[in-house]
Amino acid sequence: DQQVKQNSPSLSVQEGRISILNCDYTNSMFDYFLWYKKYPAEGPTFLISISSIKDKNEDGRFTVFLNKSAKHLSLHIVPSQPGDSAVYFCAATSDNYGQNFVFGPGTRLSVLP
Amino acid sequence: EAGVAQSPRYKIIEKRQSVAFWCNPISGHATLYWYQQILGQGPKLLIQFQNNGVVDDSQLPKDRFSAERLKGVDSTLKIQPAKLEDSAVYLCASSHNAGNSLQPQHFGDGTRLSIL
């Protein structure tokens, strides 16, 4: 049973445009969400997080939106750059999980020059 | 600050052999995790340590996998005997304080295990 879903395995975007990566979750107990970025042959790197008391968090070119009623979050990258090409993982947890994060399967983003 | 160190980077063994992975977390990080990432999937937690105690090992196949963190710093993950389905990247991660759910995990670069 996949509790965190990323239904788009891949996404291609032109440089300078907006990239939107989506994530859905099924467990209503989740209240803290993170996005990680992963380059080939490297470990995932933390990108941005959001807790359920907010519906938006922004850090430079990266913004995460959370819609609790829809159990949906999205990561917006504006403007997209070729260096953003990587696999993006959504992860979720709750106080009941301690620090046990449940990861989605990832979306591979390709930013075309 | 130095990152999470893992070794080896790659390992190829035959099925039924044993293998061990090593992880050195970021200095001062009390919480250490081992994840298994199968190709095309997200990381799946195998075991979580808080200092030298196990917090969660519910997804660890205990008949063949074992892990320890004896002094609350370095950790080793062992597979014995290995099966074909164990082919994956094994990621180690650490975080500052398991009591604060807002702490992101810092990952090492992983060990890619191939079972022949």
Side-chain angles (χ1 to χ4, degrees), chain A residues 15 37 39 61-62 80-86 88 109 111:
Chain A
E15 182 179 3
K37 178 166 106 171
Y39 293 119
R61 297 185 297 114
F62 302 91
S80 301
Q81 299 174 353
D84 296 329
S85 297
Y88 289 79
L109 173 66
V111 180

Side-chain angles (χ1 to χ4, degrees), chain A residues 31-32 34 36 38 41-46 49 51 89 93-95 97-106, chain B residues 9-10 31 33 35 37 40-43 45 48 56 59 91 95 97-98 100-105 107-109:
Chain A
D31 58 9
Y32 183 56
L34 303 90
Y36 282 85
K38 185 182 183 304
E42 294 183 11
T45 303
F46 170 70
S49 64
S51 75
F89 292 100
T93 191
S94 75
D95 283 343
Y97 280 69
Q99 289 271 19
N100 183 349
F101 290 93
V102 180
F103 283 79
Chain B
R9 287 301 311 273
Y10 305 93
T31 310
Y33 314 79
Y35 287 88
Q37 185 179 11
Q41 300 180 19
L45 181 71
Q48 174 187 346
D56 183 353
Q59 298 189 91
L91 293 162
S95 65
N97 183 354
N100 181 351
S101 64
L102 297 180
Q103 293 296 324
Q105 300 168 7
F107 284 83
D109 289 338

Side-chain angles (χ1 to χ4, degrees), chain B residues 5-13 18-24 34-36 46 65-68 74-79 82 86-92 110-115:
Chain B
Q6 288 190 249
S7 67
R9 287 301 311 273
Y10 305 93
K11 191 73 179 178
I12 302 173
I13 62 172
S18 62
V19 64
F21 314 124
W22 173 82
C23 173
N24 188 13
W34 283 103
Y35 287 88
Q36 179 192 59
L46 292 175
F65 286 66
S66 64
E68 59 183 16
D74 293 8
S75 177
T76 55
L77 175 69
K78 296 179 182 176
I79 308 175
D86 299 332
S87 293
V89 175
Y90 290 84
L91 293 162
C92 179
T111 296
R112 181 175 296 277
L113 175 66
S114 298
I115 311 294

Side-chain angles (χ1 to χ4, degrees), chain A residues 1-5 24-30 71:
Chain A
D1 176 32
Q2 221 176 8
Q3 297 188 74
V4 178
K5 303 175 185 180
D24 297 286
Y25 60 96
T26 58
N27 191 334
S28 58
M29 297 296 291
F30 287 146
K71 297 193 184 68

